Amino acid sequence: MNALTASCSPARSRAVGELAEATAKWGCDVPDDPGLIELADLLALVAGHLPEDHAARAEAAASLEMAVEHLRAADRLGGLLPLVTLHHLRLALQYERSARQNPTDRPGPDVARDRLQPVGELQGASRT
């Protein structure tokens, strides 16, 4: 492992941990030590199944879709370009946070989790 990779590794681990926590706040069952594609797939499920009454639904879905794209880009890079990978992870975090912001009457993460029960059902259905 070169010095650059070693210096980026803790920041990458923190970013992945924060993304896992954020994904769980949307009501997803996040596995222990998730991979980037697993997180991307879970956020894609959320983006596609936001409740109709979710304020600013289109904006939240677009932000989540951007987070998914950055997670997939980070996964494709792997350890090849650690600084670029870290950049994509940080952008994914920013887009996910943007989707959860409370501009006026948008529900917070706890309300969104309660309304996203179909996502959990989809997770179980996709495994069978």
Side-chain angles (χ1 to χ4, degrees):
M1 181 182 327
N2 67 33
L4 182 59
T5 302
S7 68
C8 288
S9 184
R12 182 189 189 282
S13 295
R14 263 191 317 277
V16 171
E18 288 179 38
L19 283 160
E21 289 174 21
T23 302
K25 287 180 182 177
W26 285 100
C28 296
D29 183 24
V30 179
D32 292 336
D33 194 27
L36 298 179
I37 290 299
E38 289 172 307
L39 293 174
D41 290 346
L42 290 170
L43 287 176
L45 274 173
V46 171
H49 295 88
L50 288 174
E52 292 297 326
D53 62 342
H54 188 278
R57 180 181 187 270
E59 293 86 359
S63 290
L64 287 171
E65 289 167 4
M66 289 301 299
V68 167
E69 289 306 312
H70 284 287
L71 280 168
R72 290 184 175 148
D75 182 70
R76 282 191 302 273
L77 288 169
L80 195 58
L81 300 168
L83 286 176
V84 177
T85 300
L86 188 55
H87 174 73
H88 281 291
L89 291 173
R90 288 180 175 157
L91 286 173
L93 269 169
Q94 288 176 354
Y95 280 111
E96 186 282 327
R97 286 179 183 146
S98 173
R100 281 191 292 119
Q101 284 179 351
N102 297 319
T104 50
D105 59 343
R106 181 181 294 178
D110 295 331
V111 175
R113 184 181 316 124
D114 293 340
R115 294 184 180 171
L116 285 175
Q117 292 172 356
V119 171
E121 293 169 13
L122 285 173
Q123 288 175 328
S126 65
R127 293 180 185 156
T128 57

